[in-house]
Amino acid sequence: MRFASKVDLWIGALLAVAPVMSLAGGLVSLAAGQPLGLLSPLFVGAIYGGLVFPIYYEIGEDALVIRFGLARSRIPYAKIQSVKPTRNPLSSPALSLDRLHVHAGSALGPNISPKDKAAFLAALAPHVPHLRLQGDALLPA
């Protein structure tokens, strides 16, 4: 089962600035007869495609899969010690500050932001029988 990342309006707007500005600059360069100006929007698009989009979280057979751009992170269910709400702003594969901290050996994360946190936790719960769903968290039983 796959869950999309929640996107905070301000983060979405902030992420839109670089592509819009580089595209505008590229079009101005193109209008001025300099087609190499289009390299900037292509470069920004490649960065976004490689590092940012798509972002989703997948409940796999044996692990939680976190996909961000071309990168994939797999967290075996047995390693998940808890899943708790957080608003930690540290860099994470998340487009919202309404996050869940997946504690799997590191106090830093990952922090993820599934759009439907309740459905995500309900789908994850059967895969982590050593944890119990308590409100908006999965905690040791």
Side-chain angles (χ1 to χ4, degrees), residues 53-129:
F53 297 107
I55 293 181
Y56 63 80
Y57 318 106
E58 189 169 353
I59 308 293
E61 277 187 42
D62 58 351
L64 170 61
V65 179
I66 301 170
R67 168 83 187 265
F68 47 104
L70 297 174
R72 266 191 202 135
S73 176
R74 296 177 51 81
I75 303 172
Y77 295 127
K79 289 190 174 189
I80 298 176
Q81 299 169 22
S82 66
V83 181
K84 299 177 185 176
T86 185
R87 294 194 64 78
N88 188 334
L90 291 179
S91 180
S92 294
L95 298 175
S96 171
L97 288 182
D98 183 16
R99 299 174 173 186
L100 292 171
H101 173 73
V102 180
H103 190 281
S106 171
L108 295 178
N111 295 321
I112 62 174
S113 61
K115 186 183 265 186
D116 187 346
K117 289 192 324 185
F120 174 81
L121 289 169
L124 180 59
H127 297 279
V128 287

